[in-house]
Amino acid sequence: MSKNGSQSKTKMKRKEYEKELRKLQVQLCHLQEWVRQEKLRVIILFEGRDAAGKGGTIKALTEKVSPRVFRVVALPTPSDRQKTQLFLQRYIEQFPAGGEIVIFDRSWYNRAGVEYVMGFCSPADHKRFLELCPQVEKFAVDGGIILIKLWLEVGMEEQEARFNARIEDPLRQWKLSPMDTESFGRWYDYSRARDMMLEATDTKHAPWRLIRSDDKRKARLNVISHIINTIPYKKIARDQVKLPKRSHKGRYDDQASLRGMKFVEERY
């Protein structure tokens, strides 16, 4: 990554990516034990344009760790009841307890992005959110929560390529919603919304960190590395696990009792 945040055009090879990812995932497992022991509370926000790679990055981040520690939150459209609540209320309900890392796959910043651009909130609601959001985040940080805010920035051409790939691939078509296709034509509206959001909410207590994501593999590694370096941790020594001897008391042919039961057809 260069000083201005531009990413090398040379795509990372899969073999190199998998090698580096494994190293980082080992560190994440050590981090996980530290968070659990010290009862830390961590929030990681993933924001960015559609098709910026948030889902794949979260998957790489959580693939080898416990879902009891790394909890992913992807809230659906608010219910009629939730629409009458304070805007941040349903997000605050998901905040971590001691020993948890909560990952928001999109967050309260929906109000600064899709809701604002698509007209789902009024300009007054948008303005009020940008004014109050830093205060709420300071309240959380002052209360001991470690808050990491990440914005994945994908280029215009790469986004279009990813949308087209989703259209052609039946395994990816579920990723392409009507909202995604509508947002595709509003690139600069989203850019301006992003700029306003960053200007208002990039604070000393809760700074934004941007990641170029045209190369998905590099982006995933850079994100995980940043998270590991942001949360100070120590490697916890663990006792060597030894399996006990199996007891043969009451031994019998436990496979014979399964004869006649219906198993799934072995097609592979």
Side-chain angles (χ1 to χ4, degrees):
M1 188 74 72
S2 68
K3 290 183 179 180
N4 64 4
S6 62
Q7 201 171 59
S8 169
K9 292 183 179 181
T10 304
K11 294 291 182 81
M12 176 175 273
K13 301 294 184 182
R14 177 178 292 276
K15 189 173 181 180
E16 180 187 0
Y17 165 72
E18 290 177 347
K19 179 182 177 181
E20 295 302 317
L21 178 61
R22 176 171 173 77
K23 292 178 185 177
L24 292 173
Q25 287 177 332
V26 169
Q27 293 183 62
L28 283 173
C29 288
H30 294 316
L31 170 63
Q32 171 179 255
E33 294 305 310
W34 181 255
V35 168
R36 186 151 47 188
Q37 175 181 288
E38 299 299 310
K39 297 288 189 280
L40 298 182
R41 291 172 293 152
V42 182
I43 294 175
I44 305 174
L45 304 185
F46 278 88
E47 295 289 345
R49 298 181 184 275
D50 292 317
K54 296 180 291 297
T57 304
I58 292 171
K59 182 179 179 181
L61 173 62
T62 58
E63 187 178 20
K64 302 296 184 182
V65 292
S66 170
R68 294 181 179 85
V69 179
F70 284 77
R71 178 162 58 88
V72 179
V73 174
L75 295 182
T77 302
S79 65
D80 290 340
R81 180 177 181 275
Q82 289 171 330
K83 288 177 182 177
T84 67
Q85 296 176 342
L86 292 173
F87 173 70
L88 280 165
Q89 188 170 336
R90 72 185 188 124
Y91 294 101
I92 293 175
E93 289 174 353
Q94 300 293 333
F95 276 22
E100 284 187 337
I101 297 175
V102 172
I103 299 168
F104 281 96
D105 184 356
R106 294 197 179 278
S107 66
W108 48 91
Y109 281 100
N110 272 347
R111 175 133 298 182
V114 63
E115 290 191 15
Y116 173 65
V117 173
M118 302 302 294
F120 297 150
C121 71
S122 68
D125 288 335
H126 175 250
K127 182 175 183 291
R128 179 170 174 79
F129 170 78
L130 293 181
E131 291 172 348
L132 293 180
C133 183
Q135 300 176 40
V136 175
E137 291 177 351
K138 189 173 190 306
F139 175 80
V141 171
D142 287 348
I145 289 177
I146 297 172
L147 179 58
I148 300 173
K149 302 192 303 189
L150 303 171
W151 176 273
L152 273 63
E153 179 69 15
V154 65
M156 184 184 290
E157 293 181 2
E158 180 64 21
Q159 186 195 53
E160 182 171 358
R162 292 178 187 178
F163 274 157
N164 284 326
R166 291 178 181 183
I167 292 171
E168 299 296 329
D169 188 348
L171 297 178
R172 302 185 196 178
Q173 286 173 1
W174 65 271
K175 292 184 175 183
L176 198 60
S177 69
M179 193 64 65
D180 293 332
T181 54
E182 179 65 26
S183 71
F184 178 79
R186 304 193 184 200
W187 177 271
Y188 292 108
D189 290 340
Y190 273 93
S191 293
R192 292 187 181 93
R194 175 205 62 197
D195 294 345
M196 285 189 284
M197 180 197 76
L198 294 176
E199 182 178 1
T201 62
D202 181 31
T203 60
K204 184 177 180 179
H205 59 270
W208 280 101
R209 290 294 180 265
L210 279 60
I211 303 96
R212 295 282 183 190
S213 64
D214 280 8
D215 187 324
K216 291 182 179 180
R217 292 169 184 166
K218 290 180 181 178
R220 292 168 188 172
L221 297 179
N222 287 328
V223 165
I224 296 173
S225 176
H226 172 70
I227 291 170
I228 290 170
N229 290 326
T230 302
I231 306 172
Y233 75 95
K234 296 179 182 178
K235 184 177 178 180
I236 298 174
R238 303 185 68 177
D239 296 333
Q240 183 67 38
V241 177
K242 293 183 179 180
L243 294 175
K245 290 184 178 181
R246 282 197 171 125
S247 171
H248 292 289
K249 185 178 180 180
R251 181 176 179 177
Y252 75 106
D253 186 351
D254 61 348
Q255 295 304 300
S257 62
L258 300 179
R259 291 171 192 153
M261 300 298 294
K262 291 182 178 180
F263 283 79
V264 169
E265 182 180 353
E266 293 187 359
R267 299 181 180 181
Y268 304 97

